[in-house]
Amino acid sequence: MTVAEVPLADTLARPLRDLRISVTDRCQFRCTYCMPREIFGRGFAFLPREQLLTFEELTRLARVFAGLGVRKLRLTSGEPLLRRDPDKLVAMLAAVDGVQDIALTTNGALLAGKAAALAAAGLRRVTVSLDSLDDEVFMALNDAGFPVARVLEAIAAAAAAGLAPVKVNMVVRRGVNEQSILPLAAHFRHTGHVLRFIEYMDVGTTNGWRLDEVVPAAEIISLVGGQWPVEPLAPACPGEVAARYRYRDGGGEIGVIASVTQPFCRGCTRARLSADGTLYTCLFAGAGHDLRGLLRAGASDQALREHVAAIWTRRADRYSERRTRQVSRTKVSRKAEMSYLGG
Ligand code: SAM
């Protein structure tokens, strides 16, 4: 059997379609909402090289997942372009039977020099993170002194390499960069690139998340739509994380990822593989399943496939939905609660 002939579904009838592969736990940025310097500073113990999955191991696992129904791969991390020769990995993954789409999420710092090789190797799409057009705000957020202009150059290089339209992710945090929403929207209108606003999420205990720092997607859409009227678009594919809108004047498309206020657990077909080979069935799952140990102990493809299938068929995760219900019962403040509910 090369690709999945057996439909695999979890306890909520969700198939396994996407695999997000983290290729390193390192990043040059210290975004305050993601890898804050207080925690990921000099003393932080990143994974030693031998604990990272090799390209051969990643490709073997991709083949196992493709055999269970995965069609889309996304390389992420840390910062995926910090891994040496990412184009070689893309070429290896592109040759896996059943894989139809390979995408990459990056901070853009190393993208300009690598975009052409990545595209030639088989990368189909790229998402670049950019939280403001204002250097002061952006540098305070990335906490690495990285300027906006370099990210814009990376986006242009990706487009020139054939990776257009580029998706641009902006995490919106109240009181930090909400003033950057309209300038970013203005900048990317009529460019063909798709700006996506992401609600600031609680990513564990590391970023000091507070509900009143979440700008709800509904508020973002009404802000942008108040300036340039928008209308909703149908999802481009089942299980899509972003709700899509288009400008009525033909200025292009935007999206909102409302993981906090409108969780999309029901349509979630994504599994996540961490850089050390741990499989997580949800972004918010506290515990994962070690695949590297099995790989390195000599497990056969069949044994790996059965192991992953057993994990997926037991999957019942609905962390975001549960959390949304739990948080909406907690009165953080009247204003926050109302805005959270979209009022
Ligand atoms: N280093 C790459 C980058 O910057 O895109 C890839 C990894 S990064 C973790 C992937 C995406 O997650 C980025 O678009 C980032 O902005 C987003 N992200 C990280 N922490 C987040 C949070 N607390 N809430 C919402 N989105 C977050």
Side-chain angles (χ1 to χ4, degrees):
M1 190 172 73
T2 49
V3 294
E5 284 133 27
V6 193
L8 184 70
D10 72 4
T11 62
L12 298 173
R14 296 170 295 191
L16 173 56
R17 285 280 176 255
D18 313 80
L19 181 64
R20 301 202 166 197
I21 302 175
S22 187
V23 294
T24 172
D25 57 341
R26 290 163 201 260
C27 187
Q28 329 83 318
F29 288 15
R30 286 293 174 272
C31 297
T32 50
Y33 54 75
C34 186
M35 290 177 71
R37 204 171 279 284
E38 310 86 83
I39 292 165
F40 297 89
R42 280 185 189 280
F44 187 82
F46 287 99
L47 290 170
R49 194 179 164 75
E50 66 277 9
Q51 288 191 24
L52 298 179
L53 292 187
T54 63
F55 286 1
E56 287 71 23
E57 288 170 331
L58 286 169
T59 306
R60 189 161 166 228
L61 283 180
R63 200 172 300 119
V64 166
F65 278 85
L68 292 168
V70 163
R71 296 291 168 264
K72 283 193 204 170
L73 304 177
R74 176 172 295 278
L75 302 182
T76 176
S77 288
E79 169 50 42
L81 297 184
L82 280 180
R83 188 86 186 243
R84 202 183 305 155
D85 301 328
D87 54 312
K88 286 196 182 136
L89 175 62
V90 169
M92 289 165 77
L93 296 173
V96 170
D97 197 10
V99 169
Q100 294 167 354
D101 189 16
I102 305 179
L104 170 87
T105 305
T106 173
N107 59 27
L110 297 171
L111 180 61
K114 297 182 193 263
L118 288 164
L123 188 74
R124 298 264 305 269
R125 297 178 298 127
V126 70
T127 300
V128 179
S129 303
L130 178 61
D131 298 325
S132 181
L133 278 183
D134 177 330
D135 258 336
E136 204 178 319
V137 176
F138 185 53
M139 288 187 193
L141 267 166
N142 66 53
D143 198 12
F146 200 81
V148 171
R150 295 264 309 276
V151 183
L152 296 178
E153 277 163 33
I155 293 170
L163 296 167
V166 175
K167 285 184 183 154
V168 179
N169 275 358
M170 173 194 187
V171 176
V172 185
R173 190 168 175 184
R174 194 176 304 282
V176 175
N177 66 336
E178 62 196 305
Q179 73 281 20
S180 301
I181 294 173
L182 289 178
L184 270 168
H187 183 87
F188 287 108
R189 273 166 50 76
H190 297 288
T191 61
H193 304 316
V194 180
L195 177 62
R196 296 152 13 126
F197 303 98
I198 308 182
E199 288 180 348
Y200 168 50
M201 289 184 289
D202 183 5
V203 288
T205 51
T206 54
N207 69 351
W209 185 86
R210 286 180 17 203
L211 175 62
D212 54 11
E213 290 180 331
V214 177
V215 181
E219 190 180 320
I220 297 171
I221 285 301
S222 78
L223 178 70
V224 177
Q227 188 79 24
W228 305 282
V230 293
E231 59 195 15
L233 282 172
C237 57
E240 188 169 51
V241 295
R244 303 166 63 216
Y245 293 82
R246 83 173 147 223
Y247 294 111
R248 287 215 172 121
D249 66 359
E253 183 183 327
I254 56 170
V256 278
I257 302 180
S259 357
V260 180
T261 62
Q262 295 154 48
F264 30 82
C265 302
R266 259 153 228 277
C268 180
T269 57
R270 281 174 293 285
R272 294 164 188 274
L273 188 61
S274 69
D276 65 354
T278 308
L279 172 64
Y280 292 91
T281 54
C282 174
L283 175 61
F284 300 104
H289 309 265
D290 174 35
L291 299 186
R292 188 190 61 201
L294 282 177
L295 274 172
R296 294 188 182 174
S300 66
D301 283 359
Q302 180 64 18
L304 285 166
R305 191 155 43 224
E306 282 169 13
H307 186 68
V308 174
I311 292 168
W312 191 263
T313 47
R314 285 198 307 268
R315 177 186 191 239
D317 306 328
R318 284 165 48 211
Y319 289 92
S320 293
E321 279 180 9
R322 293 220 170 93
R323 178 164 179 107
T324 296
R325 255 183 256 132
Q326 189 192 336
V327 170
S328 67
R329 284 197 294 267
T330 313
K331 297 204 173 14
V332 177
S333 76
R334 176 97 186 119
K335 181 169 169 275
E337 191 188 17
M338 282 181 64
S339 63
Y340 173 76
L341 294 170

